[in-house]
Structure formats: C-alpha cells, structure tokens
C-alpha cells in the first residue's frame, strides 16, 4: 500500500512538471524566413525543479499523411539553450502559468506544408534530484513568404 501511495505521488509530481506549447496554437500558419514566437509554459508545482535546457525544433512533413514523430527527429534546431520560465508581470494580461517566450525564425530552406514544432525539455526534479526528459509538439503549417 505504501508503494502505491509513493508511486502515485511521484507520478503526480512528474505530471506537474510537464511543459506545454502555449504558442503558436496547434494548426497555426508560419511563414518561411519570418520570425515567430514560441511560448513554452510550465505549470507551477510544489515539487522543486531545476531547469536544465530546452531545444525547439521544426521538422517538415514530407508526406501529406505522415510526419516523423518529434521524439524521433527534431528537424531544424531553432533554439537550444537555457529555459527560465517566469510569471508575466504585465498589467491587464490574462493569468498565465510560468512561461518563457522565444523568438525564432523559420529557415529559408524548409519545405512548405505541414510540419511538427517540437520542444524537448530536460529538468532535475525533487530533492534527489532525478532527471526528467520530455518532448512535446504542435502541428503547424509552413507557408511561403
């Protein structure tokens, strides 16, 4: 019984550490050669977390029906480095979870059409700590400029 309680507690604290892509929204269009903002949200948690890094990638789908899963291929790396989510302090904005915005550019060489925008996230969780790695993604449409 104690094992089950500990397991449920660990799963709950791990889920509270998960990131989400706040922007662009799933299905959004982004233009070749243009900048766009990727908002990476991380809900607040009572469990201590030390952020290590994220990688933002964009991988074109070379078929109208199939895309390579984000966990298997990042594609073009748009950002690689530190992640430090914070609350927005602007007056009059809607309440958001801790997040960080990254301004990135769609590469000129990427194929237009469906693509997978992915964020790979590594953090250290808990007092131990233990490493947590995850990959989240959003489907976007790349258009010509």
């Amino acid at each position: 019984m104690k094992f089950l309680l500990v397991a449920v507690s660990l799963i709950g604290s791990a889920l509270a550490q998960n990131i989400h892509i706040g922007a662009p929204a799933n299905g959004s269009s982004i233009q070749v050669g243009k900048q766009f903002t990727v908002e990476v949200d991380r809900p607040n948690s009572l469990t201590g977390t030390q952020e290590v890094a994220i990688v933002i990638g964009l991988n074109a789908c070379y078929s109208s029906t199939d895309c390579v899963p984000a966990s298997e291929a990042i594609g073009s790396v748009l950002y690689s480095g530190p992640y430090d989510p914070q609350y927005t302090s602007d007056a009059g904005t809607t309440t958001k979870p801790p997040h960080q915005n990254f301004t990135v550019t769609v590469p000129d060489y990427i194929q237009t059409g469906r693509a997978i925008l992915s964020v790979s996230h590594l953090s250290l969780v808990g007092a131990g700590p233990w490493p947590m790695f995850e990959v989240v993604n959003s489907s976007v449409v790349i258009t010509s400029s």
Side-chain angles (χ1 to χ4, degrees):
M1 182 67 167
K2 284 183 183 180
F3 173 76
L4 181 60
L5 186 59
V6 169
V8 168
S9 173
L10 288 174
I11 290 169
S13 64
L15 290 176
Q17 306 301 325
N18 289 359
I19 60 167
H20 307 280
I21 298 174
N26 201 34
S28 294
S29 293
I30 54 178
Q31 284 188 327
V32 170
K34 302 290 183 183
Q35 290 185 333
F36 69 101
T37 300
V38 178
E39 178 183 306
V40 182
D41 300 339
R42 186 187 53 79
N44 212 355
S45 170
L46 296 175
T47 305
T49 303
Q50 180 182 347
E51 297 299 338
V52 177
I54 64 168
V55 175
I56 299 172
L58 185 62
N59 198 11
C61 302
Y62 292 100
S63 159
S64 61
T65 57
D66 293 324
C67 296
V68 176
S71 60
E72 293 180 19
I74 293 172
S76 298
V77 175
L78 307 180
Y79 173 83
S80 173
Y83 176 53
D84 186 23
Q86 302 291 322
Y87 283 103
T88 300
S89 59
D90 299 336
T93 61
T94 58
T95 303
K96 291 184 179 185
H99 63 281
Q100 186 172 356
N101 291 332
F102 300 88
T103 300
V104 296
T105 303
V106 179
D108 290 330
Y109 56 81
I110 201 159
Q111 175 178 316
T112 59
R114 290 182 51 225
I116 300 294
L117 175 71
S118 67
V119 179
S120 303
H121 172 233
L122 175 63
S123 62
L124 302 175
V125 179
W130 55 274
M132 186 186 82
F133 178 74
E134 65 179 320
V135 179
V136 297
N137 63 72
S138 181
S139 179
V140 295
V141 178
I142 300 171
T143 61
S144 58
S145 51

